[in-house]
Amino acid sequence: ARELPTVVRVLPSDVWSNGTLTSFGWRGVDRVLFDSDAHEDVVREMHAGLLPGSARTATLRPAVDVERMSWDAERTASFNVGWRGTLDAGAATLIYELLAGLTAHDERYQLHVAGPISDAAQVRALAYRAEQTGLARHLHLYGALAQGEDAGFYAQCSHVVTTDVLGGHPLYALQALASGARAVVREYDGSRAVFPAELLWNTVGQAVDQIADTNYAPAAYRAFASDHYGRPAQTAQVTDLLDRLFADADSRRASALFADAPTHVGADARARYAQAVAHAEAGRTEEASALMDGLDVESLAYDEQLAAHLMALQLALATDATDRALVHADAATDLAPDEPLVLNLAGRAL
């Protein structure tokens, strides 16, 4: 029997790139993860028969670490509007139209643009056009933000616009919401499965109307990000994903799943954890569940090395199958031995 199933995650850029999917060796792939249901539909329409017939597929929704995003519950709407994404030709055109629409509505608006530049000529043309039409003083071009600069950007801008049509994993929009800013998201195929309709737009006029709307609720924005895409929601999603994707995986002993538990958490938590594993291995699921209930799982989940063990044990207890397989990273990969193994199309662990 095979030791481990092979899992491949298809990123939004992989869906639309020329040759990436068709040149990948799909033989032996057991599970395929997509960022959205729409992306799976695109791959199946564009590349009929490409995915192995035996491969299961699933969608892993976007997530954001809400607790790491600072915010001010008392913040109010301002005339500082942010834009985040990749600065290419299409983005440059939309940015100018948005700038013109905002300043036509109210000359106090300022548009702050941040993102990696993929087409320098178009960005220069954007700046020149703004200068020639008298809008240069309303446009602020930052380029790619350095690590740690995101918090200041989201604190400055009460609204953050995204225009990326790739969709799938709209991290900028989720970060904005977690910071208490209103996300103004250009609608893309699959966006309604991620965001409520009131945050989506298709025309620049609709985007301007959303930004000018006086109904501004930072606490609600952060709560939405936390409830749907925060750490607890992501943990539940991954647990469910493990249950569905690996329900037929080759059986392995629970001792192999939970061996070598991390030792840099509290002694009491380690003791409870070890006892829960012992009960689970012996088939005493009620005793194991009781000990797990005594653990502050959400707090321990911040320990990334322990998170995989906790999710595996929770899954085993929930399904009464303590020998349920969990995919581990091989020691030769960049991941720790107790982290789940997920490969990208280049064959490297993510």
Side-chain angles (χ1 to χ4, degrees):
R2 290 175 302 169
E3 282 295 313
L4 299 172
T6 299
V7 181
V8 171
R9 182 182 179 190
V10 178
L11 301 177
S13 56
D14 298 324
V15 173
W16 302 105
S17 63
N18 293 325
T20 301
L21 294 175
T22 54
S23 62
F24 181 72
W26 290 97
R27 176 180 293 183
V29 172
D30 301 286
R31 311 290 185 262
V32 184
L33 305 184
F34 291 89
D35 280 0
S36 70
D37 296 336
H39 285 164
E40 179 179 351
D41 293 340
V42 169
V43 170
R44 293 192 180 280
E45 291 172 8
M46 294 177 60
H47 308 286
L50 177 68
L51 300 180
S54 60
R56 291 190 179 190
T57 60
T59 296
L60 185 62
R61 298 293 182 194
V64 62
D65 194 341
V66 176
E67 298 305 320
R68 293 185 182 180
M69 305 301 299
S70 60
W71 76 301
D72 179 4
E74 302 300 324
R75 72 182 302 178
T76 58
S78 71
F79 290 99
N80 288 310
V81 177
W83 179 96
R84 296 215 63 183
T86 300
L87 285 160
D88 53 23
T93 299
L94 280 172
I95 288 169
Y96 179 81
E97 293 177 358
L98 179 64
L99 176 66
L102 286 171
T103 52
H105 183 83
D106 194 312
E107 290 190 348
R108 290 175 290 180
Y109 277 112
Q110 302 289 316
L111 184 58
H112 304 265
V113 177
I117 297 173
S118 68
D119 193 330
Q122 292 296 330
V123 175
R124 184 176 179 85
L126 167 63
Y128 178 79
R129 189 178 182 188
E131 181 179 354
Q132 294 302 307
T133 54
L135 298 179
R137 63 189 179 90
H138 300 276
L139 179 63
H140 310 273
L141 299 172
Y142 298 90
L145 296 179
Q147 187 174 5
E149 293 181 341
D150 296 65
F153 184 86
Y154 294 126
Q156 179 184 27
C157 301
S158 61
H159 298 73
V160 177
V161 181
T162 64
T163 57
D164 181 13
V165 295
L166 289 180
H169 196 96
L171 181 60
Y172 294 141
L174 294 179
Q175 288 177 337
L177 291 168
S179 301
R182 176 165 180 159
V184 186
V185 182
R186 182 186 180 188
E187 188 165 355
Y188 57 86
D189 190 3
S191 58
R192 290 180 179 268
V194 182
F195 300 102
E198 58 266 25
L199 298 181
L200 303 175
W201 60 274
N202 283 294
T203 69
V204 170
Q206 291 173 339
V208 172
D209 289 342
Q210 286 189 25
I211 295 169
D213 188 353
T214 57
N215 183 19
Y216 190 77
Y221 305 145
R222 184 174 173 89
F224 173 82
S226 178
D227 293 344
H228 294 277
Y229 305 107
R231 184 181 293 274
Q234 183 72 348
T235 299
Q237 182 185 187
V238 171
T239 300
D240 178 67
L241 185 66
L242 288 171
D243 190 18
R244 289 185 291 111
L245 288 186
F246 304 114
D248 61 345
D250 296 337
S251 297
R252 299 181 59 165
R253 289 293 302 154
S255 58
L257 295 181
F258 309 125
D260 301 321
T263 59
H264 53 285
V265 295
D268 180 68
R270 290 203 308 273
R272 283 181 174 271
Y273 174 75
Q275 292 172 15
V277 171
H279 283 303
E281 290 180 349
R284 297 187 293 271
T285 56
E286 291 186 5
E287 292 86 344
S289 296
L291 285 167
M292 286 296 290
D293 289 340
L295 282 172
D296 183 1
V297 175
E298 291 186 14
S299 175
L300 291 176
Y302 281 95
D303 185 318
E304 294 181 358
Q305 287 190 328
L306 187 56
H309 289 289
L310 291 173
M311 285 190 290
L313 182 55
Q314 287 176 313
L315 174 61
L317 294 174
T319 58
D320 195 23
T322 55
D323 60 347
R324 180 64 52 85
L326 173 69
V327 178
H328 284 274
D330 186 84
T333 70
D334 294 334
L335 300 182
D338 52 8
E339 294 186 30
L341 173 61
V342 180
L343 299 177
N344 62 14
L345 291 182
R348 290 183 59 81
L350 294 177

